[in-house]
Amino acid sequence: MAKRGKARWIDSEPDAIRDGDRWIAFGTMKQVATWFEFLRFSPSYELARRYRAGELSPGASLPNDFDTVLAVYDDLGDVSCEMADWWLNGAYRQFGQGGKKPGVVGLGTASSANPEFDRITTNVERYRQTDWVEQGERTVMVVAIPVGLPKAQIARQVALLLEEYPAEERILSPQAPKYRITGKKLDWDSIYRYRRCLDAKADLAGATLWQIGLRANLSSTYTKLLNALDEPPHKQTEYRLALKILTSRGLHRGHMIAENAARGIFPTYSTCQNAVQLDWERIRQQRGSRAIDEIGEFDADPPFDPIWKQDSDGEWFDASFERQEES
């Protein structure tokens, strides 16, 4: 706990991931991971991969805005690897913020008993030469907050002061990411449901739409009703029809999200005019290959049979890990 009158430099990156000279908030990283998953489904993005790899036959049909997709592919790269590898291979530079993550800094306190405005002035100068420079000399607002005010009042009054600043002065980083999550109020639960629809369609070859929706848990209501044992057959038919309609819409929206993601816009299911049809056979083959690779990596580790030993209390324990550490 800092003493009165001293600056409180609050750790500004407890909720961020830093790679090299870039940082990204944990919440944003989860959204970027979802972008990565949708790119794996995008047929346009797959065409860009094959084009760069020289695998496309001459005269292959390409979307009219293929140059845009290629530019995104050149920035974000191949998504057939693990997400962590994709990130470290360069994606972090496209999504991460530059410099030090900005954070609130307490510059001191003053009271009738201890005015200490000279100390506050010293702290302001220290801040100007250190944190402010490291954070890219972003616009900051210096305010005096009566510590006895309720937090809700403080928040409202500070919000009103912040509204006076135009959007261009609210940029957090001198090196803004090239690719951003779009929109302000996004229904991420729906985004995740649409991705689950794509996953279920890929996993269940030959399944009906309502079966795909059930597997994806697209509607918790219909999942519950269709799993109920006391529902009459005609009701089950109604529920399946309703879930079929929802699943068809979910697959379409998932397709549009994937194709827009390949064009650097995420997440939106607005109609992509140059969208390419999904190739489910290709998707299943690639998912199967990745699964085999993951199993191979898991099996590549040398096995360690149990080595049973007794401790000083006569209790038996598996000491095989000791051999693993020694090797």
Side-chain angles (χ1 to χ4, degrees):
M1 185 72 176
K3 295 181 180 179
R4 275 189 176 184
K6 290 188 177 181
R8 297 177 63 193
W9 262 255
I10 302 171
D11 183 1
S12 63
E13 293 197 40
D15 63 340
I17 299 170
R18 175 171 288 279
D19 288 295
D21 60 346
R22 298 279 172 159
W23 61 268
I24 186 171
F26 279 118
T28 305
M29 186 65 160
K30 181 180 178 182
Q31 296 168 348
V32 171
T34 306
W35 192 328
F36 169 81
E37 293 293 339
F38 272 103
L39 285 176
R40 284 180 160 183
F41 282 99
S42 169
S44 293
Y45 204 76
E46 170 64 8
L47 284 173
R49 184 197 68 78
R50 293 173 60 192
Y51 182 89
R52 288 302 188 214
E55 298 176 1
L56 284 183
S57 58
S61 178
L62 299 173
N64 292 334
D65 60 348
F66 192 56
D67 287 345
T68 299
V69 181
L70 274 178
V72 174
Y73 181 84
D74 290 341
D75 284 337
L76 302 186
D78 189 358
V79 292
S80 63
C81 58
E82 291 298 311
M83 197 275 178
D85 294 331
W86 172 76
W87 179 255
L88 294 175
N89 286 341
Y92 76 92
R93 299 199 63 83
Q94 307 299 335
F95 292 100
Q97 304 265 7
K100 183 179 179 181
K101 183 181 178 182
V104 174
V105 176
L107 299 175
T109 59
S111 66
S112 58
N114 297 291
E116 298 195 6
F117 283 101
D118 290 342
R119 183 186 294 274
I120 293 175
T121 301
T122 300
N123 288 337
V124 170
E125 180 59 23
R126 176 189 166 194
Y127 169 75
R128 185 187 70 82
Q129 296 180 14
T130 56
D131 287 62
W132 190 58
V133 175
E134 292 174 2
Q135 294 174 9
E137 300 181 358
R138 301 295 90 191
T139 301
V140 296
M141 180 175 64
V142 180
V143 298
I145 300 176
V147 296
L149 278 181
K151 292 181 181 180
Q153 288 189 32
I154 293 173
R156 284 197 300 269
Q157 293 179 27
V158 171
L160 289 173
L161 292 173
L162 288 172
E163 288 179 1
E164 299 176 5
Y165 293 86
E168 59 268 20
E169 292 191 33
R170 302 187 190 188
I171 298 174
L172 290 179
S173 170
Q175 297 171 300
K178 184 172 183 179
Y179 294 90
R180 295 174 176 269
I181 304 299
T182 59
K184 295 181 179 179
K185 294 183 179 180
L186 298 171
D187 182 4
W188 280 96
D189 286 341
S190 295
I191 302 299
Y192 297 141
R193 283 198 299 271
Y194 301 147
R195 202 206 75 197
R196 291 201 304 270
C197 273
L198 297 177
D199 285 333
K201 173 70 174 178
D203 292 339
L204 302 176
T208 62
L209 285 174
W210 75 265
Q211 290 171 331
I212 292 169
L214 192 64
R215 170 70 172 269
N217 194 22
L218 187 58
S219 168
S220 57
T221 299
Y222 288 117
T223 296
K224 181 178 179 180
L225 291 171
L226 286 168
N227 286 325
L229 299 177
D230 57 349
E231 289 290 333
H234 73 279
K235 282 293 184 181
Q236 290 281 328
T237 301
E238 291 179 10
Y239 302 151
R240 290 177 181 182
L241 177 58
L243 188 55
K244 172 184 175 181
I245 295 171
L246 290 177
T247 304
S248 177
R249 183 176 66 185
L251 287 171
H252 172 74
R253 290 183 174 180
H255 179 200
M256 291 301 101
I257 292 172
E259 285 294 79
N260 283 316
R263 290 155 176 82
I265 308 168
F266 181 84
T268 175
Y269 51 75
S270 297
T271 300
C272 178
Q273 298 297 336
N274 295 294
V276 179
Q277 288 300 309
L278 288 162
D279 182 351
W280 290 107
E281 185 59 31
R282 183 272 301 178
I283 292 170
R284 293 187 182 103
Q285 288 178 357
Q286 290 180 338
R287 287 164 71 92
S289 297
R290 288 196 297 268
I292 292 173
D293 290 342
E294 291 172 4
I295 293 172
E297 292 176 4
F298 179 79
D299 290 342
D301 294 331
F304 289 91
D305 296 325
I307 301 176
W308 297 105
K309 292 184 178 180
Q310 282 182 298
D311 60 21
S312 58
D313 296 325
E315 297 291 334
W316 290 92
F317 68 96
D318 180 6
S320 58
F321 72 93
E322 295 176 353
R323 184 174 67 179
Q324 185 174 7
E325 290 177 350
E326 290 173 359
S327 62

